[in-house]
Amino acid sequence: MRIQQNGKLLSSALIVALMLVTAGTLAAQDVRYNSMPGADFSKYHTYKWVNIGGAHPDQIMDAEIKQAIDSQLAAKGMTKTDGDKAGLYIGYQTTVQQETQWDVEGSRAFGMASGSWTSSTISVGTLVLEMYDPARKQLVWTGSATNTIDTGSDHEKHMKKLDKAMAKLLKNYPPKQK
């Protein structure tokens, strides 16, 4: 994948970010993350959002996702910048997949059981967030959050779930140095 930044093309090992999208939210998140061995995260104090292409939600959801991530990074002492001297370039991408969920309805009486199966289609969303060191031209951190999207939630509930998901995703950022 390539990033276009002020006329320069930067290669990245996959700056992808997945999320809880489309106006829905994830209820409980499956979170995974990884970092480049030996990367010195104590030197990263600033970051800049970059467009990495791929699937993104509408402009409103894009702003909400970035706001939730900005809040978490600010709490960790990071400063967002629009300048070219950012220590990290960060980007995200989202995906939504449809899955079949099977439910069993039944009863048991006098040692005998009866029941039926029903199926429903659910949406599962993923957000992948990646951080790229532009000086080293290297991916240094990646993380993802995946869960079922609750399309019926109100906006306030949605924002609380989004903030909670991003807090969980960035809980162990920066990684502890060994």
Side-chain angles (χ1 to χ4, degrees):
M1 181 168 289
R2 295 182 177 251
I3 301 173
Q4 181 76 35
Q5 187 62 32
N6 293 336
K8 299 176 188 172
L9 283 177
L10 299 174
S11 292
S12 139
L14 162 68
I15 300 190
V16 184
L18 125 84
M19 183 60 200
L20 1 137
V21 227
T22 326
T25 58
L26 298 180
Q29 303 78 31
D30 175 25
V31 171
R32 299 171 193 267
Y33 56 89
N34 201 358
S35 61
M36 180 63 70
D40 181 8
F41 286 88
S42 66
K43 72 178 187 173
Y44 302 125
H45 304 286
T46 60
Y47 67 94
K48 178 179 182 172
W49 283 103
V50 293
N51 183 1
I52 59 174
H56 281 83
D58 61 55
Q59 290 177 330
I60 294 170
M61 182 57 114
D62 177 63
E64 292 170 344
I65 290 168
K66 287 178 178 176
Q67 179 183 350
I69 294 169
D70 288 343
S71 175
Q72 292 301 312
L73 292 176
K76 295 175 180 295
M78 299 282 295
T79 303
K80 180 175 73 169
T81 182
D82 292 327
D84 292 333
K85 300 289 184 188
L88 290 173
Y89 288 169
I90 67 171
Y92 78 92
Q93 192 170 9
T94 61
T95 62
V96 177
Q97 295 181 322
Q98 302 299 310
E99 295 184 5
T100 301
Q101 175 176 300
W102 292 93
D103 297 310
V104 175
E105 297 176 6
S107 63
R108 197 165 236 219
F110 305 108
M112 302 185 70
S114 65
S116 64
W117 293 85
T118 60
S119 68
S120 59
T121 301
I122 58 172
S123 298
V124 177
T126 302
L127 176 123
V128 176
L129 175 67
E130 293 197 356
M131 301 181 186
Y132 178 82
D133 183 329
R136 295 175 56 187
K137 296 184 170 122
Q138 187 175 55
L139 179 69
V140 293
W141 189 92
T142 184
S144 67
T146 302
N147 207 329
T148 305
I149 296 174
D150 176 11
T151 57
S153 63
D154 63 36
H155 184 70
E156 185 176 321
K157 186 176 177 182
H158 161 74
M159 289 308 299
K160 285 181 183 179
K161 288 182 179 183
L162 178 59
D163 289 338
K164 183 178 177 182
M166 294 304 94
K168 188 173 179 180
L169 177 61
L170 291 164
K171 178 181 177 184
N172 294 309
Y173 179 85
K176 293 183 175 31
Q177 298 295 328
K178 295 180 181 182

